[in-house]
Amino acid sequence: MAQIQLNPARSEYDPDKATDVVSALAASGMASIAALRQAGFRPVASGGLALSAVSAQQSTLLNQITYRRKHTMAEDCAEFVLVFGNYGSASSGFMEPGYSTINVTSVMTKIGANETANDGLSMPTHFNGSRRGRVDPGCLTFTTPSFFPLEKGERFYTITASDTFGIPGPAAPTVTPAGTGGALAQDTNYLISVCYVFADGTESLLSPATVAYIPPGASTGSIVVTSPAAFAGAIAYRVFIGPRGVTTGTQAALARATQEGLAAIGQSKTIIREQTGGARSRLVNGDAKRASGGGVRDVGEVADLGDKTIPGALLGPGASPNNIYTPLTILGRTRRPTASVAIVADSKGAGTGDGGVGYGEGGFIVRGLTNRLDLKMEDQVTPLCGYIPLGLGGEKLDDFVNDVMTNSRDRTRTGLVQLCNNVISNLGNNDKGLGVAAFKANLLKAVRRHCPMGIKWHQMTLPPSTNSSNAWSTVAGQTRLGNEAIRTEINDWLRDLGPTGFRQQSGLFDLTGVIETCERIEVNAAGVLTLNGGYVIVPPARPSITGTITGVNSKYEFIDSSKNGWVANLYKGYSIRFTSGAARFDAGGVNTAAGVVFYTLANGTMNCDVAWGPAPSIGDAYEITYLGAIDAAHDSTWTHVEIGKTVRDYVQAGNLLVS
């Protein structure tokens, strides 16, 4: 099939015609990231979703939930494309670890009489001529471009109904191992699973596994797999094989597609080879699961059961607000050149510890780009630009750069970056164990891969990480980690504007930038703000709200009945630490972490987003305050706000690429 390429650098490029082409491609099911980008579609609003988990199937009506999510426009725009994805925190090399197809319908809605009403003007979106879209594992789906005029600063909702549907897998297969006919190892067990395959390429869930044992002495082992029973609509089955000799444990839960391919229902299939490293993996005996993101946190955001995108449907808060599924980002074709940002981040950049908002929805990069620097993140301001949140806990720069060919998560996220003209990355915190040379090589590779596409890469310096004997309430109680010298050497290279520094070595000085993460939050041993000081700041003028626990609902939730009459969410985003009991900060080193208050209720309930090892008990004393960190790896909400100010100032200084 011929490939259509649109090149804005050519003199005959006409944006209006390009948009017509993109619309035609979308209508024919051929819309692509490259076509959308070159036609001028960019992220234009806040409120994108970071897919960061694989969540179990929800026990709801038809396994279907609707989420209403709030967004604010960064630019005037009248034509939109919603982007939906299906990926999550897969282990490196695993392509489809138990995901199921996600079915989605969506609506864009203006806010009506108030932000909780159901009376706003709505526009249904479409997918290739259908109201219902399908997002297979590892894939992206784009809505057909739709006309829906919105102005800069205007708030609106996307309403998304989604369900995961897993076709039941076959029974465990019947297998006949043999010592001849193949190249399987002797005296070895292999786990064999199968799935149904349908005419449209859909696959069922994977069956339970059967152990096939190749006897000793065999040098050319093989396994004959008997066809599963017929299933309505199934035209074939696919065989999956587990790792050599593995029958229990984590590795036994995943099997890879065999090289022998498909077999027709009713016909046996002979397996003669082990799986290869690049083969597609699936979860043995899997349930229907889906990728998901954070939670519903903002005013007017609700979750409800069933499909509430149909005309006349009213939304009420009828389902759990966590593990939501909404658009990854909202693309628009703006009336003028604009900046947009792909947020390439680890858990720190994705917002772990930011108790003002859920994981992937806050954090210092989102706070800076949206200029939402209120501790509770309840302020409503116009974002500085549109963005796509692509953060992922545990992510290394090495993963993002080098797993593109083997990991659908990183390959998909790398593709999404191309929808933006800027990258802000804080990656590197998890790379320190690889050494300075590896970080430099990977960052230069990332820059040279993305910048020639007209994308500017903004790298954040690496903040200090310390252990603490008193929950980061003093600098004296902190101990620097063993990789501190690596961190400072990386930061010195990033800050160096000369020929031996990052930007000049990249060969793309004008398409790179450095954001000074540490300027507001790194101190020396005396507590003075100092780059390479090595310690986490202790917030000045810390408040201190103290009390005693009178009830424990869980490791996450406590009650102090003496605080009955609190204003709801009065201390949302504050830090909390225990000063007595098994969970106190200095309890023999068992727990050095501080919690972050997620919400407070009028009856004195405190809900935290960190669970202590030893659970707090009735009678334990606590303090609600500001701290600089929640553990050795993650920032507190207060610190997210401070770094967010740095990001905001950097953006407002005109450092982003506009095109």
Side-chain angles (χ1 to χ4, degrees), residues 616-640:
S617 302
I618 293 174
D620 290 353
Y622 67 87
E623 180 188 30
I624 294 176
T625 184
Y626 295 156
L627 298 170
I630 62 170
D631 56 37
H634 299 105
D635 305 305
S636 67
T637 305
W638 186 91
T639 301
H640 277 289

Side-chain angles (χ1 to χ4, degrees), residues 257-342:
T258 58
Q259 300 179 53
E260 283 71 32
L262 303 176
I265 297 294
Q267 297 181 0
S268 296
K269 189 70 174 179
T270 301
I271 306 304
I272 62 174
R273 305 178 187 87
E274 295 183 0
Q275 78 278 20
T276 59
R280 183 165 56 90
S281 295
R282 295 192 62 195
L283 189 69
V284 173
N285 195 26
D287 295 325
K289 296 185 178 182
R290 67 167 186 189
S292 66
V296 173
R297 297 287 179 253
D298 219 333
V299 176
E301 294 187 342
V302 295
D304 206 347
L305 305 184
D307 184 354
K308 298 304 173 69
T309 68
I310 58 178
L314 299 179
L315 275 161
S320 167
N322 294 312
N323 298 320
I324 69 175
Y325 185 80
T326 61
L328 297 176
T329 190
I330 298 169
L331 305 180
R333 186 164 174 267
T334 61
R335 302 170 187 171
R336 60 181 181 180
T338 185
S340 57
V341 173

Side-chain angles (χ1 to χ4, degrees), residues 3-19:
Q3 183 180 18
I4 298 177
Q5 294 184 335
L6 305 174
N7 187 353
R10 294 175 63 97
S11 59
E12 64 267 30
Y13 174 73
D14 184 327
D16 293 322
K17 292 181 179 178
T19 302

Side-chain angles (χ1 to χ4, degrees), residues 152-451:
K152 181 176 180 178
E154 187 172 355
R155 295 194 293 277
F156 66 100
Y157 295 120
T158 55
I159 302 175
T160 305
S162 64
D163 62 79
T164 53
F165 178 64
I167 301 172
T174 299
V175 300
T176 306
T180 60
L184 297 173
Q186 62 165 320
D187 191 22
T188 301
N189 288 315
Y190 293 94
L191 290 178
I192 303 296
S193 298
V194 295
C195 70
Y196 290 117
V197 179
F198 299 84
D200 63 354
T202 301
E203 295 181 355
S204 72
L205 299 172
L206 212 56
S207 74
T210 300
V211 177
Y213 174 66
I214 306 296
S219 59
T220 58
S222 63
I223 301 170
V224 176
V225 182
T226 302
S227 169
F231 187 89
I235 61 172
Y237 68 98
R238 191 187 303 278
V239 181
F240 288 71
I241 187 169
R244 180 192 301 185
V246 175
T247 57
T248 60
T250 302
Q251 286 187 301
L254 290 160
R256 284 187 167 139
T258 58
Q259 300 179 53
E260 283 71 32
L262 303 176
I265 297 294
Q267 297 181 0
S268 296
K269 189 70 174 179
T270 301
I271 306 304
I272 62 174
R273 305 178 187 87
E274 295 183 0
Q275 78 278 20
T276 59
R280 183 165 56 90
S281 295
R282 295 192 62 195
L283 189 69
V284 173
N285 195 26
D287 295 325
K289 296 185 178 182
R290 67 167 186 189
S292 66
V296 173
R297 297 287 179 253
D298 219 333
V299 176
E301 294 187 342
V302 295
D304 206 347
L305 305 184
D307 184 354
K308 298 304 173 69
T309 68
I310 58 178
L314 299 179
L315 275 161
S320 167
N322 294 312
N323 298 320
I324 69 175
Y325 185 80
T326 61
L328 297 176
T329 190
I330 298 169
L331 305 180
R333 186 164 174 267
T334 61
R335 302 170 187 171
R336 60 181 181 180
T338 185
S340 57
V341 173
I343 300 173
V344 178
D346 54 25
S347 58
K348 291 170 74 74
T352 295
D354 190 349
V357 71
Y359 179 87
E361 302 160 72
F364 46 78
I365 302 178
V366 169
R367 281 182 173 272
L369 294 178
T370 58
N371 203 16
R372 297 185 74 179
L373 299 170
D374 169 68
L375 194 69
K376 303 176 186 180
M377 211 170 181
E378 293 178 342
D379 43 355
Q380 297 290 340
V381 295
T382 301
L384 303 180
C385 64
Y387 60 89
I388 308 178
L390 299 173
L392 191 66
E395 180 86 327
K396 299 181 180 72
L397 178 63
D398 185 71
D399 298 332
F400 185 78
V401 171
N402 296 315
D403 284 358
V404 174
M405 297 308 297
T406 58
N407 189 301
S408 65
R409 173 199 69 200
D410 290 322
R411 184 168 58 251
T412 305
R413 291 160 69 234
T414 298
L416 286 166
V417 167
Q418 299 175 43
L419 290 169
C420 302
N421 48 12
N422 294 271
V423 167
I424 293 181
S425 166
N426 82 312
L427 295 181
N429 296 288
N430 297 316
D431 293 79
K432 288 177 281 192
L434 302 178
V436 175
F439 175 85
K440 289 182 177 181
N442 284 328
L443 183 55
L444 292 174
K445 185 185 294 185
V447 166
R448 291 164 184 166
R449 178 179 294 166
H450 291 91
C451 292

Side-chain angles (χ1 to χ4, degrees), residues 532-543:
N532 289 351
Y535 296 94
V536 176
I537 190 173
V538 177
R542 293 192 303 116

